[in-house]
Amino acid sequence: MGPLPISSIRIGKIEDVQELIKSKPNKVPERFIREANERGLLVSLKTHPHQHIPVIDLSKLSEPHTHDDHLFEILKLSQACEDWGFFQVINHGIEVKVVEDIEKVAKEFFEMPLEEKKKYPMEPGTVQGYGQAFIFSEDQKLDWCNMFALGVHPPSIRNPKLWPSKPARFSENLEGYSKEIRKLCKKLLKYIAISLGLNEERFEEMFGEAVQAVRMNYYPPCSSPDLVLGLSPHSDGSALTVLQQSKNSCVGLQILKDNTWVPVLPLPSALVINIGDTIEVLTNGKYKSVEHRAVTNRERERLTIVTFYAPNYEVEIEPMGELVDDETNPCKYRSYNHGDYSYHYVSNKLQGKKSLDFARILN
């Protein structure tokens, strides 16, 4: 999975948003200002209550008190994947200290001087390092966000030069956190398989040595949050995505539900899970990846740590036979190599669910 040729991409000047608010706290440069129909209009939590986002209690799946508990939670999981593509998971079993430790070093990384962070640059056409990803032209609008992304597993996708020596314990904390998130993803995929009436090991056996990457997103306050987006609308190319939002962060995640942007406020100690394009294809559209975006806040910052979990790049992906019926549910997606799709995904700007056109069978 090599990057695009650096010389072929002209991305223009990309201003660091943290530096912008230091030097020009009340000015939003033109390149960040969105067209009126794109802007991050703040949606009222009273109008669209965040509590409607499904909540899955993992303890009732892994250690059910009764058979009914297990069955009810599996049904909730199925409905969450089919109707929302998003859910929050509580009682996930990851120790509070592990979560706090990764949050601490992520925050410390973004607080370092720009010169230090620039030692780990995200080069044009790549998705690892510090900067902004998915930028492919000089006139492309920018997100009000700084990113730091790393390949985690397998070791072959890592770029050791981008793993920072500062802050202290960054690598150690990320390794520990990523191992716990990997275990969580395996559990969730097992229960998702059960919810589909499949063998619980179906995804584990299919994915091979799964690919795992992490991206840390820092959204500084913005003097005109109604003019910008923290992160452009998109679906994820992964199988599952796990989002951790730091304590005291403002509401920022919005998902597209029934043509309305609905805000998601993570519950205390919960993790937000979303279905990626890969699961949509494998389930022949039964479980759908959902378009989502991030908005900003005038006064408060937001920090998220996002893990992407996907099949090995060598795996061939196609709808599972059990979920295809020539008469009632014909095959909606072609067979493809997951590495090819991943390359396609990272080689294009974020644009809703457009990346999935790569796999769709157009009638």
Side-chain angles (χ1 to χ4, degrees), residues 265-315:
L265 177 63
L267 299 171
S269 302
L271 295 169
V272 177
I273 313 295
N274 66 277
I275 298 297
D277 294 345
T278 301
I279 293 294
E280 175 167 336
V281 172
L282 290 171
T283 63
N284 201 33
K286 180 176 176 64
Y287 291 172
K288 292 181 175 62
S289 62
V290 171
E291 197 171 330
H292 52 286
R293 68 181 187 180
V295 295
T296 62
N297 187 279
R298 189 182 303 276
E299 299 173 351
R300 297 173 61 189
E301 65 183 5
R302 179 169 177 255
L303 172 67
T304 62
I305 299 156
V306 185
T307 298
F308 304 96
Y309 187 88
N312 190 275
Y313 291 139
E314 302 301 319
V315 173

Side-chain angles (χ1 to χ4, degrees), residues 345-362:
Y345 186 92
V346 303
S347 301
N348 289 275
K349 69 178 183 178
L350 298 179
Q351 198 171 0
K353 293 191 66 171
K354 187 174 175 57
S355 286
L356 202 50
D357 289 348
F358 175 92
R360 286 193 179 97
I361 295 176
L362 304 176

Side-chain angles (χ1 to χ4, degrees), residues 126-300:
T126 70
V127 290
Q128 292 195 48
Y130 176 77
Q132 282 213 22
F134 307 104
I135 307 298
F136 296 97
S137 69
E138 294 179 300
D139 58 358
Q140 185 178 335
K141 292 296 185 181
L142 300 177
D143 293 328
W144 195 263
C145 175
N146 285 338
M147 302 175 175
F148 185 50
L150 295 168
V152 176
H153 194 88
S156 59
I157 73 166
R158 294 191 180 198
N159 184 340
K161 294 180 181 178
L162 297 177
W163 282 64
S165 56
K166 297 177 184 177
R169 301 176 68 88
F170 181 96
S171 295
E172 180 183 342
N173 288 356
L174 179 56
E175 294 276 18
Y177 177 77
S178 296
K179 286 178 182 177
E180 293 301 313
I181 294 295
R182 193 172 184 85
K183 286 190 278 188
L184 173 64
C185 288
K186 289 175 183 289
K187 286 181 184 178
L188 289 172
L189 286 169
K190 179 173 75 172
Y191 299 126
I192 288 172
I194 293 171
S195 78
L196 291 163
L198 305 171
N199 181 293
E200 66 179 38
E201 300 300 329
R202 185 64 179 275
F203 293 116
E204 178 78 9
E205 293 169 354
M206 183 191 306
F207 283 16
E209 189 174 14
V211 171
Q212 185 173 342
V214 66
R215 190 178 72 223
M216 302 169 185
N217 304 312
Y218 180 78
Y219 307 93
C222 179
S223 60
S224 299
D226 56 320
L227 299 182
V228 307
L229 284 176
L231 190 60
S232 300
H234 65 286
S235 62
D236 293 336
S238 58
L240 291 179
T241 300
V242 181
L243 179 142
Q244 174 190 331
Q245 177 166 299
S246 68
K247 290 179 182 177
N248 303 318
S249 283
C250 60
V251 176
L253 173 64
Q254 296 182 344
I255 68 174
L256 191 61
K257 172 70 170 169
D258 300 326
N259 295 315
T260 300
W261 287 107
V262 179
V264 178
L265 177 63
L267 299 171
S269 302
L271 295 169
V272 177
I273 313 295
N274 66 277
I275 298 297
D277 294 345
T278 301
I279 293 294
E280 175 167 336
V281 172
L282 290 171
T283 63
N284 201 33
K286 180 176 176 64
Y287 291 172
K288 292 181 175 62
S289 62
V290 171
E291 197 171 330
H292 52 286
R293 68 181 187 180
V295 295
T296 62
N297 187 279
R298 189 182 303 276
E299 299 173 351
R300 297 173 61 189

Side-chain angles (χ1 to χ4, degrees), residues 90-110:
I90 59 173
N91 297 320
H92 44 68
I94 300 177
E95 293 182 8
V96 173
K97 187 177 187 307
V98 173
V99 172
E100 290 178 343
D101 284 351
I102 188 63
E103 184 179 312
K104 178 176 182 292
V105 293
K107 192 169 188 297
E108 289 174 352
F109 177 86
F110 285 110

